[in-house]
Amino acid sequence: SAVISQKPSRDICQRGTSLTIQCQVDSQVTMMFWYRQQPGQSLTLIATANQGSEATYESGFVIDKFPISRPNLTFSTLTVSNMSPEDSSIYLCSVDRQLLWGYTFGSGTRLTVV
Amino acid sequence: DAKTTQPNSMESNEEEPVHLPCNHSTISGTDYIHWYRQLPSQGPEYVIHGLTSNVNNRMASLAIAEDRKSSTLILHRATLRDAAVYYCIETGGTSYGKLTFGQGTILTVHP
């Protein structure tokens, strides 16, 4: 099962700034997924990132706000741009478990925008 | 929107069995039923999955109704460490990777 390292684990940012979240996997994976978990809520898929192609965004999420990079098969970044307090959430990346069923999630990045 | 419905919360005592129900009345014939749990301050963790037959692993058992419109996650002996939010999710086919999380069931385990 893949092991995910996500950085930073938490951050407090000023409104109007941007934060880039990194997701490093210890094995090569085809697809990586980015989720958002707003306070007290469940997880919502933001986008799917494939290496070598543009990320595919879910309804309600746009590339200008959440640009994603996927430079290789073990790494991806999600940027939260022009942040507002409404962006305060936990952001998580996920990959499939490689020869096992299900998906592995990172421990998340807890973002607070002030 | 999530296609499964679960009770908002359940409580159990330590070392007793816990049965967590899930309704998925519109599930297609090829969709699997997955269960994940999310411990406090952690990302979700895969628990178990099934299609038609009951399934067992080291973490839990999954009992699937014959008509597949409902299922039950069974923790045979709850521990304090099992206190978490449990999510029941339909997934498969063209929705690969797209886990649609509902609100889940908050499980409280009492010592």
Side-chain angles (χ1 to χ4, degrees):
Chain A
S1 184
V3 176
I4 298 175
S5 173
Q6 198 172 327
K7 295 179 180 179
S9 59
R10 60 178 62 229
D11 208 341
I12 301 174
C13 300
Q14 297 291 322
R15 66 179 67 200
T17 63
S18 298
L19 176 71
T20 295
I21 302 167
Q22 300 180 4
C23 182
Q24 178 75 51
V25 189
D26 69 346
S27 58
Q28 294 184 342
V29 294
T30 303
M31 301 172 77
M32 297 179 75
F33 308 93
W34 287 98
Y35 287 83
R36 180 178 73 181
Q37 187 170 27
Q38 294 176 298
Q41 301 297 312
S42 186
L43 285 77
T44 301
L45 180 66
I46 297 171
T48 302
N50 289 330
Q51 192 267 336
S53 64
E54 293 286 336
T56 302
Y57 289 82
E58 298 299 307
S59 176
F61 298 96
V62 295
I63 188 171
D64 289 346
K65 177 67 176 177
F66 299 101
I68 289 172
S69 77
R70 184 77 202 275
N72 58 54
L73 291 174
T74 63
F75 187 77
S76 178
T77 67
L78 169 76
T79 299
V80 186
S81 303
N82 188 25
M83 289 183 287
S84 67
E86 291 70 35
D87 294 319
S88 298
S89 297
I90 299 172
Y91 294 86
L92 304 101
C93 65
S94 173
V95 301
D96 72 55
R97 297 203 309 156
Q98 303 292 288
L99 303 181
L100 298 172
W101 283 91
Y103 300 88
T104 297
F105 286 79
S107 55
T109 296
R110 183 179 296 270
L111 170 62
T112 302
V113 184
V114 296
Chain B
D1 290 346
K3 294 179 280 188
T4 62
T5 57
Q6 301 174 251
N8 290 333
S9 62
M10 292 186 67
E11 298 187 17
S12 173
N13 294 319
E14 201 173 8
E15 299 190 5
E16 291 184 354
V18 181
H19 291 229
L20 298 167
C22 179
N23 288 323
H24 30 80
S25 58
T26 61
I27 191 169
S28 74
T30 57
D31 277 355
Y32 285 78
I33 301 148
H34 282 232
W35 284 81
Y36 285 77
R37 71 180 185 181
Q38 187 173 22
L39 279 65
S41 301
Q42 295 188 26
E45 173 188 31
Y46 168 83
V47 177
I48 200 167
H49 80 282
L51 182 63
T52 56
S53 304
N54 294 344
V55 185
N56 302 294
N57 66 20
R58 65 175 180 81
M59 292 181 70
S61 296
L62 177 60
I64 302 172
E66 200 168 328
D67 63 7
R68 296 205 339 120
K69 293 184 177 182
S70 65
S71 62
T72 302
L73 179 70
I74 303 166
L75 307 179
H76 295 284
R77 289 179 72 240
T79 68
L80 296 178
R81 197 186 171 283
D82 291 322
V85 181
Y86 286 78
Y87 298 101
C88 167
I89 301 169
E90 295 176 27
T91 187
T94 57
S95 63
Y96 173 78
K98 297 182 180 182
L99 298 180
T100 302
F101 286 81
Q103 290 304 307
T105 297
I106 301 172
L107 176 64
T108 301
V109 180
H110 299 289

